[in-house]
Amino acid sequence: MERLCVILLLVSKTFIVNAQFNGFNCDANFHSRFPAERDISVYCGVQTITLKINFCPVLFSGYTDTDLALNGRHGDAHCRGFINNNTFPTVVLFSISLSTLEACGNSLVVSTAQGPNAYGNLSLVQIGNIAGYIDTPDPPTVISYLPGLLYKFSCSYPLEYLVNNTQLASSAAAISVKDSNGTFVSTLNLLLYNDSTYIQHLAIPMSGLTLKTRVFAAVKATNLDRRWNVLMDYCYTTPSGNPNDELRYDLFFGCDKDPQTTVFENGKSQMGRFSFEVFRFVKHKNQKMSTVFLHCVTKLCRADDCPLLLPICGKRRKRDTSERTGVASDNAVMTAGPIITRSDETPTNNSQLAQLNGPPFKMNSVTSALISAIAILGVMSMCFFILSLSLLRGKQTTSTPLSGTHNPAFS
């Protein structure tokens, strides 16, 4: 009889649990429990942050989907999630727009700290952190037999992309914490234009661009919340598409700038603009065309913070060659190219190249005096020669014929 009662009790309990999960994609063997840290997933996107909460433990705890809300805003329907019963298990989805994240009480904190830049120097590095929580309402009674559910989340956006993509999670009892990282790098593009209007994209002919052609470049953010501005940290060129190529030429880095490079706008909007004159790499001297790849390391900053990140010219030390070897692999480097340049010079042989490229001939004082003396001697010799001829002719014209008596013996 006791065994029969135990069996009936187990069957009734199973029936109650199955009835509780009825209509939802839940498994009573796995989801008859309180929430754990694995029950929340955080996706840090460029425009939205998406949260997925396993609804089955919520249902087991005695709550419905309408009981879950962002940051305690249970009276605002816009701060609640919605059921997705097309997955296993059933989930509650929350979508947080980065442009209106404060509407449901989420917070954005941008922290600034000293950190290494791409060359290994210490500079100001900013990280944007968006945090919030999802909870259930407290009952209007003194006590409750239902556990209070709390899900904490955060998204960390390193604005110079120097932070590894890591996830941290911890939980205790019915509290779940999920931290995740996101990146804005997919919104950034390095584009080339024909002129300063930045309207028509640069079209490179098959024969390449003529040397010293001015090219207009821009690092532009698209589909990015307007609170962020683009700040170009430095831009450089390489002969290959590899940003870590040992052979490189800097266009500008902080206060150091190539004389042919002009920076028009930096850190003031979602577009950084500059121009430079195309050149060729000397290593391509035996080729008819030279390829140049453009790279820009870019930061994102809030409008009020951008002036703080700009270098103070005159106080920043110059980097040496040893500092150029520390390019981090996880930096976000925008790349454009190849920019193909051509040389319009006519082919010449080696002797002509030596004459064209050699230094001009300069006479010193000794050489000049020697040449002058030779010229004077030549003139004097010519004068003596002419004088001798004149005297000889005069002597022949002034001489008279001989006179005497005829000798008959010779007749």
Side-chain angles (χ1 to χ4, degrees):
M1 186 66 181
E2 293 179 357
R3 181 177 297 179
L4 180 60
C5 292
V6 172
I7 294 175
L8 290 176
L9 182 61
L10 293 176
V11 171
S12 62
K13 187 175 181 180
T14 304
F15 177 77
I16 293 174
V17 172
N18 289 332
Q20 187 178 25
F21 291 150
N22 186 29
F24 297 101
N25 295 327
C26 301
D27 190 332
N29 295 324
F30 297 101
H31 299 137
S32 299
R33 58 175 176 79
F34 292 129
E37 66 178 56
R38 63 181 181 273
D39 291 331
I40 179 173
S41 299
V42 182
Y43 302 90
C44 303
V46 171
Q47 294 180 316
T48 59
I49 296 175
T50 303
L51 310 175
K52 291 183 179 181
I53 295 180
N54 187 346
F55 180 59
C56 299
V58 175
L59 196 61
F60 176 81
S61 301
Y63 295 98
T64 65
D65 59 303
T66 58
D67 292 324
L68 298 175
L70 286 166
N71 304 300
R73 306 293 178 91
H74 299 281
D76 191 345
H78 295 92
C79 300
R80 300 173 188 164
F82 59 92
I83 286 283
N84 182 4
N85 202 27
N86 295 324
T87 63
F88 181 84
T90 301
V91 295
V92 180
L93 296 175
F94 289 83
S95 182
I96 303 172
S97 174
L98 295 187
S99 60
T100 59
L101 59 90
E102 292 89 352
C104 289
N106 301 292
S107 63
L108 169 63
V109 177
V110 176
S111 59
T112 303
Q114 288 285 342
N117 61 16
Y119 283 106
N121 296 331
L122 290 179
S123 64
L124 291 178
V125 178
Q126 288 193 317
I127 298 177
N129 189 76
I130 299 173
Y133 63 89
I134 298 172
D135 67 347
T136 53
D138 292 327
T141 58
V142 178
I143 64 171
S144 174
Y145 293 98
L146 298 180
L149 305 186
L150 178 63
Y151 301 85
K152 292 183 178 181
F153 67 90
S154 70
C155 280
S156 179
Y157 291 87
L159 302 183
E160 200 179 9
Y161 313 112
L162 297 177
V163 178
N164 292 329
N165 288 330
T166 58
Q167 291 185 346
L168 303 175
S170 62
S171 66
I175 299 177
S176 297
V177 178
K178 192 70 172 182
D179 298 328
S180 187
N181 287 338
T183 177
F184 293 124
V185 67
S186 61
T187 68
L188 300 175
N189 291 286
L190 179 54
L191 305 173
L192 304 178
Y193 295 89
N194 279 334
D195 52 40
S196 59
T197 61
Y198 287 87
I199 296 176
Q200 185 177 4
H201 291 279
L202 177 66
I204 301 177
M206 295 293 294
S207 57
L209 295 173
T210 306
L211 296 178
K212 294 188 70 63
T213 299
R214 183 158 290 276
V215 172
F216 296 82
V219 178
K220 186 177 181 181
T222 55
N223 297 323
L224 185 63
D225 183 72
R226 301 304 301 179
R227 75 185 70 206
W228 305 109
N229 285 355
V230 169
L231 178 64
M232 299 177 295
D233 196 10
Y234 58 92
C235 293
Y236 62 97
T237 59
T238 61
S240 68
N242 180 15
N244 298 325
D245 197 323
E246 293 183 358
L247 180 60
R248 59 194 299 149
Y249 183 75
D250 293 342
L251 297 180
F252 63 88
F253 179 85
C255 298
D256 299 328
K257 184 171 65 67
D258 174 73
Q260 308 305 324
T261 300
T262 302
V263 179
F264 300 112
E265 182 179 7
N266 196 15
K268 297 181 179 180
S269 68
Q270 292 195 336
M271 189 177 191
R273 300 179 298 119
F274 66 98
S275 69
F276 64 98
E277 292 184 358
V278 296
F279 49 84
R280 68 177 181 88
F281 280 96
V282 178
K283 68 173 293 184
H284 297 153
K285 63 181 179 180
N286 295 325
Q287 302 177 13
K288 292 183 178 180
M289 291 185 292
S290 176
T291 57
V292 177
F293 288 83
L294 179 62
H295 315 278
C296 284
V297 176
T298 306
K299 293 180 180 179
L300 293 177
C301 53
R302 292 188 299 188
D304 296 338
D305 298 335
C306 287
L308 303 177
L309 299 178
L310 289 172
I312 301 175
C313 296
K315 295 183 179 180
R316 191 172 191 174
R317 67 183 180 88
K318 295 183 179 179
R319 34 192 184 91
D320 54 26
T321 306
S322 63
E323 293 175 330
R324 297 188 177 186
T325 60
V327 180
S329 60
D330 54 355
N331 283 350
V333 180
M334 301 296 103
T335 300
I339 302 171
I340 303 175
T341 62
R342 72 172 186 268
S343 175
D344 293 329
E345 299 173 353
T346 56
T348 55
N349 54 35
N350 293 334
S351 61
Q352 290 174 325
L353 287 176
Q355 294 175 2
L356 291 175
N357 297 329
F361 176 73
K362 295 183 179 180
M363 293 188 298
N364 54 30
S365 58
V366 177
T367 304
S368 179
L370 182 61
I371 293 176
S372 299
I374 293 174
I376 293 173
L377 289 175
V379 172
M380 293 178 63
S381 300
M382 185 62 69
C383 291
F384 282 124
F385 180 73
I386 296 173
L387 181 61
S388 300
L389 290 178
S390 300
L391 293 175
L392 183 60
R393 286 183 181 179
K395 185 177 182 180
Q396 290 177 352
T397 54
T398 55
S399 61
T400 57
L402 294 175
S403 59
T405 306
H406 177 68
N407 189 353
F410 289 96
S411 301

